[in-house]
Amino acid sequence: MKNYTYRQNNKSLLSKGFVSMLTPLSNIVPAGLPANYLSIVSHLSVYIALYISYANNQLANLGFVIIPVLLLVHVITDKLDGIQARATKTESALGEFMDHYFEVFNQGVLVLIVWNLFGIKHDWMVLLVLVVLVLLKMTRFYEQYKANMLVKGAFGAFEIKLLMITVLLLCNSESVYSSINAMEIQGVLLVEWILLLVAAGGILSCVLTIIRVPHLTYGYWMFLGFLLLVSGLSFYSLDSLLAGVIILFYGGVYIGKLLMAQLIDGVERSPGLFAPIILAISFFTEYLHATDIFFILFIYLLVNILLLIIKTFRALKAEWHWVNPDLPENTHAD
């Protein structure tokens, strides 16, 4: 197992100021509380928000209050887990894996929440954002694997989350929500333009990251080609929502492999061939029904994701703490 060191170049416009605002709150977090518990709360809050987004009509649009609160809990606990880990000297590869790997799926869920709450007419725009999200995450973790440095951009996921929270709170006003859903520019809704801007920004970040990476091997380009193939064939063969799930899960498997290489054994692994092969066979032969394709790929990719998580936890199990080890007093003041 590799010796663990976490190196980060965080250029975020708002992250440092937000962390400073959390200092009073971090001081009341018990020193014995493991940072990984805060990570779990952060992740779960996003999935509860997803459920609320599906039930928003039954909640008389209370989702526009509940979901922003849950997302605020998400961003606060996401920052608190790092503060807690540093304060209690419990930073670990396992903590990084829990934070970074599950965040890939968290961000996909945020895209689905937007899809549920707003009247998006062009489904391909949502799928484009998911493809760019997966590619950007993979490219940044690939750079971290090669250069041992995770670089975060000036306007990234954190800023987008705060913008999303703000917009959802404003949507408590029926007039604001109606205006956002009705406003069109060149036949494209305002929300869709925002999605396109997010996708364009993600593509630019990918290009800039690729330029920085010291040595791109065949694995990166192979994954890029397979991701585009899986995305295109999924969009053609499946319902848009199902295609989005497959895109996110396919990218999640390879990103998990990259994190295992970065955090555990240093071994670069190839992207999976099963998904593109199944989709290609279905495209050319039409032998499988769309529902069959989805369930085959969903089960296969889910099993691979679970195996990656289990293997990582097994390799790093010594870093899991039910309660933090005893430390000197005034830990949070250090």
Side-chain angles (χ1 to χ4, degrees):
M1 186 184 304
K2 300 174 63 177
N3 292 328
Y4 177 74
T5 54
Y6 180 61
R7 299 175 64 222
Q8 174 183 251
N9 181 8
N10 191 347
K11 302 176 183 179
S12 170
L13 293 173
L14 302 176
S15 181
K16 292 181 181 178
F18 190 80
V19 169
S20 298
M21 291 171 57
L22 293 179
T23 300
L25 182 59
S26 67
N27 287 333
I28 64 174
V29 176
L33 180 70
N36 290 338
Y37 289 4
L38 294 169
S39 298
I40 292 171
V41 171
S42 177
H43 300 320
L44 288 177
S45 62
V46 175
Y47 292 92
I48 297 172
L50 176 63
Y51 173 78
I52 297 298
S53 73
Y54 280 104
N56 189 44
N57 289 335
Q58 287 72 38
L59 294 172
N61 286 333
L62 281 176
F64 288 116
V65 175
I66 301 172
I67 293 173
V69 170
L70 287 167
L71 296 184
L72 186 60
V73 170
H74 164 67
V75 296
I76 289 174
T77 49
D78 183 45
K79 296 300 181 184
L80 281 178
D81 67 357
I83 297 172
Q84 180 75 347
R86 290 187 294 272
T88 57
K89 309 296 189 291
T90 55
E91 292 177 289
S92 68
L94 179 61
E96 182 178 342
F97 178 81
M98 288 183 64
D99 193 22
H100 290 171
Y101 189 49
F102 294 114
E103 177 63 12
V104 174
F105 302 103
N106 291 347
Q107 292 183 18
V109 167
L110 294 179
V111 176
L112 294 180
I113 290 174
V114 172
W115 200 355
N116 287 336
L117 293 178
F118 297 96
I120 293 173
K121 298 188 297 184
H122 302 90
D123 291 351
W124 65 266
M125 294 183 183
V126 178
L127 297 183
L128 174 64
V129 172
L130 287 173
V131 173
V132 173
L133 161 65
V134 168
L135 183 59
L136 178 58
K137 282 290 183 181
M138 186 278 290
T139 304
R140 285 187 173 165
F141 290 136
Y142 196 89
E143 178 185 29
Q144 184 187 22
Y145 168 63
K146 291 294 185 180
N148 195 29
M149 174 71 74
L150 182 64
V151 179
K152 296 183 178 181
F155 192 89
F158 179 73
E159 285 74 19
I160 292 174
K161 289 174 185 177
L162 293 184
L163 176 62
M164 184 174 173
I165 290 169
T166 303
V167 171
L168 291 179
L169 285 173
L170 290 174
C171 284
N172 279 287
S173 166
E174 183 63 33
S175 60
V176 172
Y177 179 65
S178 299
S179 298
I180 290 175
N181 264 335
M183 189 179 299
E184 291 189 7
I185 304 173
Q186 299 294 319
V188 178
L189 293 172
L190 176 62
V191 174
E192 294 175 332
W193 277 112
I194 294 173
L195 289 176
L196 290 176
L197 286 174
V198 169
I203 292 170
L204 178 61
S205 295
C206 282
V207 172
L208 295 176
T209 304
I210 289 171
I211 293 172
R212 291 196 305 263
V213 176
H215 179 57
L216 286 171
T217 59
Y218 77 96
Y220 179 90
W221 300 112
M222 184 182 294
F223 174 77
L224 175 59
F226 285 157
L227 175 63
L228 295 177
L229 180 62
V230 166
S231 302
L233 293 177
S234 296
F235 179 70
Y236 174 83
S237 305
L238 303 173
D239 173 80
S240 297
L241 177 60
L242 303 184
V245 172
I246 296 302
I247 291 167
L248 188 61
F249 276 30
Y250 180 74
V253 172
Y254 186 63
I255 290 171
K257 292 178 179 180
L258 279 178
L259 286 171
M260 287 183 66
Q262 167 67 18
L263 299 172
I264 298 175
D265 54 20
V267 178
E268 184 175 354
R269 296 166 175 86
S270 298
L273 296 174
F274 182 78
I277 289 174
I278 288 293
L279 285 166
I281 291 174
S282 172
F283 177 79
F284 288 109
T285 65
E286 297 185 355
Y287 179 73
L288 294 172
H289 189 270
T291 305
D292 298 328
I293 298 170
F294 173 75
F295 279 109
I296 290 170
L297 293 179
F298 177 78
I299 292 171
Y300 172 79
L301 295 172
L302 179 61
V303 168
N304 275 270
I305 289 169
L306 293 175
L307 287 174
L308 279 167
I309 294 171
I310 291 169
K311 288 178 182 177
T312 303
F313 270 72
R314 278 185 175 178
L316 304 174
K317 61 184 177 181
E319 299 178 356
W320 175 267
H321 300 290
W322 292 105
V323 178
N324 279 339
D326 292 334
L327 291 169
E329 295 184 3
N330 300 323
T331 298
H332 285 284
D334 292 342

